[in-house]
Every structure is written in structure tokens, then in C-alpha cells.
């Protein structure tokens, strides 16, 4: 009976009972502070200690019970042995937060005591184990995997401002985080390890989902309001531009009338006096007709070539199969034409501005025209509404994310004045 204390035994029956209980514990292979699963039913638990063949088991709902050690199958001391643990986002905390923001999902952060240099002791390790047990429950696992990005680590994996927000009372704990940007967040709730039962975590997770939905609805409302304001400003700018164009056209017409009148007066004051002049005058109308015909033919050929190019661009867009952005960031662009009409399309944040220029040129041939007759000038430039600046040729190789056109932006298509 090596390794068994039998100094207190006085009778043979006591020795036999001690041997029986000790053998049962040894056969089961259970250790103190380890995970196990019921042989019948498959329910997982955390074993705080084994004593005389019985094990004190803690369950995911916060309850506990003494069970025969022989009824349990040992899983080991690591939480990774638990079945049904949530999928962990790879990389550091910043990568997980950025991924959650790009995916418009909650970020759930589990901080363990055994990864922290500031939280040690049996109580903290026990709370970490019970936290891991609750996270591995079927009900909570399904909620987390379908509706959130899950990250696990310790305070030592975070910068000081981060763990002060996520674990103000120290680890272990679980924090529900609302990503406000790729590098900004709002901590909605923190559940300490001692309170990490399945029911408690489900309740705080549902409340966090509701907060996420309210935040998204408010953001959408702000976007609609900003777009309405932008359209009002664009309409005012368009009316002002129309007035300026009208005034410029009237001034040009007046200048042409004056020039024609001066030419007529000059021709009247200089009559033809020679036969050579008569021949020249006879030939001039013929030459003018010929030159006009040549110019018209060249213009028609240019128009046909441009139309063919537009059709090729449109065919390329129509043949393109929509794919989700590689980085999870998209750009919904609203393009305002000189006529005041608008077209919309969503691009990937990693696409270049040159792709948007090609789309602007052929948008009258695409479904987003919605059977409207749209007119795009031969030579045009693109300009951003906010901030107000023209997009130059050097910008064509930049991505929409680099130009600040994500997640949505308004663009002007303006006639280029060469």
C-alpha cells in the first residue's frame, strides 16, 4: 500500500475499506483542480479535490456535488481539453478588436488569472476554471460563435489602459466590448470570474447584443441625416453652377453676335474688285464644306471609338462576380452627375480609385442607371464632397481606404475645362 497513510487503521476491515477507496481514486486518474466528464451523460465539470474516492465537482451552472471518482473520466488540468470551447480569434487583442469592428460584431474578451502576473492564488485559479467551464457550455458556445468575435488572454497580453478598462477588478473576468473603430472601444460590462455562470453570461451577452443593435441603428440614422444634408448642399451648389454656366453662355452668345456683326460690316466696306477675288470667293464655300465634312467624319469616328470603349468597360463590370472585400472593409459610393442625378455602387476598400473612374465613365450602361438616360461628359474629373477636394491622376493608384472613402462617401463628377 505504497503512498497510502494507514496509521489510523486498527482493524482489518478499516484497512480493506481504505485500500478500496484509495484504489478507486487511483484507477480513475483524477487530480485535484482538474477537468473531468461524467462517464454517463457526458456532462463536463471541474474537480476541486478528490478525497477517499469521492470528488467535489463544480458544474457550468454554478452548482456543485460530491460524486464517486470512478464515475468521472479525467480530461486534464488545461481548459483546452474541454469540448465546445468557443472559437478563439487568432492574433493579439488589437487584431481581434479590428476584426470585430470590420465585421460589425461584438467582441467578447476572456481574461484568465493564470496568464496574469497580478492575479494569483487558489481562488483566482478556481474562478478561471469555472469561467472556462461556463464558456464551454453548449448554450453559450452557440451564442458566442454566431454573434461575436471571441478573444482570450491575460492582463500581461494587454497594454495598461486596455486591461484597466477590461479588468478593473483584476482577472479572471469576461468583458463585453462594443468596437467603435478599429482602434477604439466601449466596454459594456465586466463579469468577474466568480459570477461566470452560464445564465449570468447569457444575460449580459443578450444585453450587449441589444446595445450593439442600438448603436448600429443610431449610426445608420446619423448617416441618413448626413446624406440628406449633403444632398441639400449639393443641390444648392448645382443650382449656383447652373446659374454661372447660363451667364457664361449668354456672354459668349453676345460676343459671337458682336463678332459676326463686325465681320459683316467689314465685308460690306471691302467689295470684290478683281476676277481673282471672285474665283477665291467661289472656291471658299466649297473648301469650307469639305473641311466641315472632314471634321464631322472625324468627330463621328471619335464618338464611335469612345462608345466602344464605354461598352467594353460596362461589359467588364457586368461580368465581374461580386466578392466580399478581402479586408472586410467596403466603400459605398454615391456619385452625383452634372445633371444632378445620382448613381450608387459598393466597392472593396482595397480597390483603387482608377476602378471608380472606369465605373463613372460607363455607369449609364450599368444596372445602377435604373433605365435612366444618363449623360457623362467626355472629359471629367472626380471630387470628394467631404473634405472638398479634387481627386487627381496621382490618386488613381491609391486604395479607397487610403483616400478616406470608406465606409461610405459622396463624389462629384465635374466637367473638365481643358
Amino acid at each position: 500500500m505504497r503512498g497510502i497513510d494507514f496509521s489510523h487503521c486498527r482493524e482489518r476491515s478499516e484497512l480493506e475499506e481504505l485500500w478500496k477507496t484509495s484504489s478507486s481514486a487511483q484507477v480513475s486518474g483524477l487530480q485535484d483542480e482538474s477537468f473531468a466528464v461524467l462517464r454517463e451523460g457526458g456532462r463536463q465539470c471541474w474537480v476541486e479535490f478528490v478525497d477517499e474516492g469521492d470528488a467535489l465537482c463544480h458544474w457550468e451552472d454554478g452548482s456543485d456535488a460530491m460524486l464517486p471518482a470512478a464515475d468521472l473520466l479525467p480530461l486534464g488540468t488545461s481548459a483546452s481539453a474541454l469540448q465546445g470551447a468557443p472559437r478563439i480569434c487568432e492574433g493579439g487583442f488589437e487584431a481581434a478588436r479590428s476584426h470585430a469592428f470590420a465585421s460589425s460584431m461584438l467582441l467578447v474578451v476572456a481574461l484568465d488569472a493564470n496568464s496574469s502576473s497580478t492575479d494569483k492564488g487558489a481562488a483566482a485559479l478556481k474562478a478561471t476554471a469555472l469561467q472556462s467551464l461556463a464558456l464551454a457550455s453548449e448554450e453559450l458556445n452557440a451564442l458566442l460563435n454566431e454573434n461575436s468575435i471571441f478573444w482570450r488572454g491575460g492582463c500581461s497580453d494587454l497594454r495598461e489602459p486596455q486591461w484597466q478598462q477590461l479588468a478593473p477588478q483584476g482577472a479572471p473576468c469576461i468583458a463585453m466590448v462594443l468596437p467603435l473603430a478599429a482602434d477604439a472601444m466601449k466596454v459594456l460590462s465586466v463579469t468577474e470570474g466568480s459570477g461566470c455562470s452560464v445564465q449570468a453570461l447569457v444575460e449580459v451577452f443578450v444585453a450587449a447584443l441589444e446595445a450593439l443593435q442600438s448603436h448600429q441603428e443610431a449610426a445608420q440614422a446619423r448617416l441618413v441625416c448626413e446624406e440628406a444634408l449633403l444632398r441639400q448642399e449639393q443641390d444648392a451648389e448645382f443650382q449656383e453652377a447652373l446659374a454661372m454656366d447660363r451667364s457664361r453662355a449668354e456672354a459668349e452668345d453676345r460676343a459671337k453676335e458682336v463678332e459676326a456683326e463686325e465681320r459683316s460690316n467689314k465685308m460690306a466696306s471691302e467689295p470684290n474688285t478683281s476676277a481673282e477675288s471672285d474665283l477665291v470667293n467661289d472656291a471658299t464655300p466649297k473648301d469650307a464644306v469639305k473641311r466641315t465634312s472632314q471634321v464631322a467624319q472625324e468627330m463621328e469616328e471619335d464618338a464611335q471609338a469612345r462608345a466602344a470603349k464605354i461598352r467594353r468597360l460596362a461589359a467588364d463590370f457586368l461580368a465581374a462576380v461580386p466578392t466580399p472585400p478581402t479586408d472586410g472593409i467596403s466603400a459605398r459610393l454615391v456619385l452625383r452627375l452634372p445633371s444632378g442625378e445620382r448613381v450608387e455602387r459598393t466597392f472593396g476598400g482595397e480597390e483603387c480609385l482608377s476602378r471608380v473612374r472606369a465605373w463613372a465613365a460607363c455607369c449609364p450602361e450599368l444596372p445602377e442607371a435604373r433605365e435612366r438616360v444618363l449623360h457623362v461628359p467626355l472629359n471629367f474629373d472626380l471630387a470628394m464632397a467631404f473634405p472638398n477636394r479634387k481627386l487627381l491622376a496621382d490618386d488613381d493608384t491609391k486604395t479607397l481606404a487610403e483616400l478616406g472613402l470608406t465606409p461610405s462617401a459622396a463624389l462629384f463628377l465635374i466637367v473638365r475645362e481643358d
Side-chain angles (χ1 to χ4, degrees):
M1 298 173 60
R2 178 180 297 178
I4 301 175
D5 181 12
F6 56 88
S7 60
H8 62 283
C9 299
R10 295 292 182 268
E11 301 292 337
R12 179 183 179 86
S13 59
E14 294 177 351
L15 286 171
E16 291 175 348
E17 182 64 24
L18 177 61
W19 171 255
K20 179 179 179 181
T21 55
S22 299
S23 298
S24 175
Q26 291 176 355
V27 170
S28 67
L30 283 179
Q31 304 177 38
D32 292 350
E33 300 180 347
S34 66
F35 294 99
V37 59
L38 273 175
R39 295 180 183 274
E40 295 185 6
R43 189 180 183 186
Q44 298 181 128
C45 65
W46 183 70
V47 177
E48 186 169 358
F49 62 82
V50 181
D51 182 36
E52 296 186 353
D54 291 329
L56 177 56
C57 302
H58 295 269
W59 310 101
E60 75 283 351
D61 59 3
S63 62
D64 57 68
M66 291 292 294
L67 293 177
D71 292 348
L72 300 170
L73 182 66
L75 295 177
T77 58
S78 174
S80 61
L82 291 170
Q83 298 296 318
R87 292 191 301 269
I88 299 177
C89 182
E90 297 181 359
F93 171 75
E94 284 82 2
R97 182 174 58 187
S98 177
H99 184 30
F101 173 71
S103 304
S104 299
M105 300 178 76
L106 278 177
L107 174 62
V108 179
V109 178
L111 296 177
D112 298 334
N114 57 1
S115 298
S116 171
S117 59
T118 60
D119 298 289
K120 294 183 179 180
L125 294 178
K126 176 181 177 180
T128 297
L130 297 180
Q131 174 176 288
S132 300
L133 192 64
L135 289 171
S137 68
E138 183 177 353
E139 180 181 5
L140 190 57
N141 179 280
L143 282 174
L144 294 179
N145 285 337
E146 294 176 7
N147 302 283
S148 72
I149 302 299
F150 180 74
W151 184 82
R152 188 166 201 159
C155 292
S156 60
D157 301 320
L158 305 172
R159 292 185 286 108
E160 183 175 354
Q162 295 170 344
W163 68 254
Q164 286 179 345
Q165 293 183 70
L166 297 169
Q169 303 300 321
C173 64
I174 294 179
M176 303 293 168
V177 179
L178 175 64
L180 301 177
D183 57 354
M185 65 181 178
K186 178 181 180 182
V187 178
L188 300 174
S189 66
V190 178
T191 305
E192 297 181 16
S194 58
C196 286
S197 66
V198 174
Q199 182 178 356
L201 290 177
V202 168
E203 290 176 356
V204 296
F205 185 75
V206 171
L209 283 179
E210 293 174 351
L212 173 65
Q213 182 178 1
S214 299
H215 172 75
Q216 292 174 340
E217 291 174 352
Q220 182 63 30
R222 286 195 301 271
L223 179 61
V224 171
C225 182
E226 290 173 357
E227 288 183 350
L229 180 60
L230 173 61
R231 291 188 178 186
Q232 290 178 0
E233 294 176 350
Q234 291 175 343
D235 289 340
E237 292 174 356
F238 181 65
Q239 293 301 325
E240 182 180 355
L242 280 180
M244 293 178 62
D245 291 344
R246 192 178 299 112
S247 299
R248 189 183 300 111
E250 292 174 354
E252 291 176 354
D253 290 342
R254 286 195 298 271
K256 289 178 180 179
E257 290 175 359
V258 171
E259 183 181 357
E261 184 177 356
E262 291 177 350
R263 188 184 304 111
S264 177
N265 293 336
K266 183 177 180 180
M267 293 177 64
S269 62
E270 298 178 358
N272 295 329
T273 58
S274 64
E276 182 180 355
S277 177
D278 292 337
L279 289 174
V280 171
N281 289 337
D282 289 341
T284 299
K286 296 179 181 179
D287 293 341
V289 170
K290 184 177 180 180
R291 286 197 299 272
T292 302
S293 176
Q294 290 176 346
V295 171
Q297 183 177 356
E298 291 174 357
M299 291 179 62
E300 183 178 357
E301 291 175 354
D302 290 343
Q304 291 176 353
R306 181 171 180 268
K309 180 180 179 181
I310 295 300
R311 287 194 295 271
R312 288 195 299 271
L313 288 174
D316 178 57
F317 276 94
L318 292 171
V321 178
T323 57
T326 57
D327 56 2
I329 301 176
S330 59
R332 184 170 68 87
L333 303 183
V334 179
L335 179 65
R336 182 189 177 99
L337 302 179
S339 63
E341 295 177 288
R342 297 176 177 85
V343 288
E344 297 183 15
R345 191 178 184 92
T346 299
F347 295 83
E350 77 284 357
E351 294 189 70
C352 294
L353 180 65
S354 58
R355 182 69 171 169
V356 178
R357 286 193 192 275
W359 165 67
C362 68
C363 64
E365 306 294 329
L366 297 175
E368 45 263 48
R370 298 197 296 271
E371 299 182 356
R372 296 172 294 175
V373 179
L374 303 179
H375 296 284
V376 175
L378 177 61
N379 299 313
F380 64 84
D381 288 314
L382 297 178
M384 295 172 58
F386 296 105
N388 187 8
R389 77 177 185 91
K390 185 182 292 186
L391 296 171
L392 305 176
D394 292 342
D395 296 319
D396 282 359
T397 57
K398 298 178 181 178
T399 66
L400 303 185
E402 291 173 339
L403 293 170
L405 298 177
T406 58
S408 62
L411 298 177
F412 292 121
L413 190 149
I414 54 180
V415 180
R416 182 187 302 162
E417 297 182 359
D418 295 328

